[in-house]
Amino acid sequence: MAFLVAARSLRLPQWRLAAGCVYQSVWNSLTGKSAGTGIKDYDLIYFDAADVSWEAEDAVIRRAAPLFDGRWPVEIRNQARVHLWFEQRFGLPYPQLHSADEAFGHYAAIVHAVGIRLEEDDTIDIAAPFGLDDVFGMVIRPNPGRPGDKGLAAKAARARAIWPELRLVDLQP
């Protein structure tokens, strides 16, 4: 909750705390592991199509640094600019998006496609276009809309080393 409060204070458009830190927090709770187990970083996404330059994203990262430094390793990404660098970095094409939540349709696994946001009234808004069954069922399966992700099997194996209860479904080595 403290992270969500800090993230909300940035007032980023369409922001969400996304992916690993969300589902891994659930898995830690389900398996009795301590909070933070397995969490490499906290993915904070937002969508600002007004300026898709690296400089604009970097300005957000610098503005956020004092809120998160020393508490949480955070990775902040403007989803409006992912299409500009994704293929070069990961070898797969990536479409130009129209919202932050649209990004979830392109995550490597169904379980990755979940994000939360703390609203002004302190309610939590959840985006999970594939539902939450894989999160609570501790399942990693590929996103059928993103075939050919060569890194998913290795990522799933690392997760299974931490949470042996995981079920891996339809993963290619």
Side-chain angles (χ1 to χ4, degrees), residues 55-166:
E55 293 78 15
E57 185 176 88
D58 190 53
V60 170
I61 293 167
R62 283 185 280 109
R63 183 166 58 97
L67 293 173
F68 301 118
D69 268 356
R71 298 177 74 185
W72 305 281
V74 65
E75 184 173 288
I76 301 173
R77 295 291 178 260
N78 180 1
Q79 300 302 290
R81 66 181 307 277
V82 174
H83 68 283
L84 299 173
W85 55 264
F86 190 91
E87 187 168 6
Q88 182 177 2
R89 182 166 177 202
F90 295 108
L92 294 169
Y94 200 89
Q96 186 171 353
L97 303 178
H98 301 94
S99 71
D101 287 354
E102 188 180 351
F104 295 125
H106 303 281
Y107 281 33
I110 300 296
V111 74
H112 298 167
V114 61
I116 61 176
R117 173 176 51 236
L118 184 63
E119 298 290 0
E120 290 302 318
D121 66 357
D122 290 334
T123 60
I124 299 207
D125 184 76
I126 301 171
F130 301 105
L132 296 171
D133 289 349
D134 283 5
V135 173
F136 289 98
M138 299 187 70
V139 174
I140 297 178
R141 80 181 79 232
N143 175 353
R146 186 173 152 189
D149 189 305
K150 294 176 177 54
L152 181 57
K155 192 173 193 176
R158 285 191 303 273
R160 195 171 210 184
I162 299 167
W163 300 278
E165 305 87 349
L166 285 177

Side-chain angles (χ1 to χ4, degrees), residues 46-61:
Y46 69 100
F47 189 88
D48 185 359
D51 187 346
V52 295
S53 69
W54 160 246
E55 293 78 15
E57 185 176 88
D58 190 53
V60 170
I61 293 167

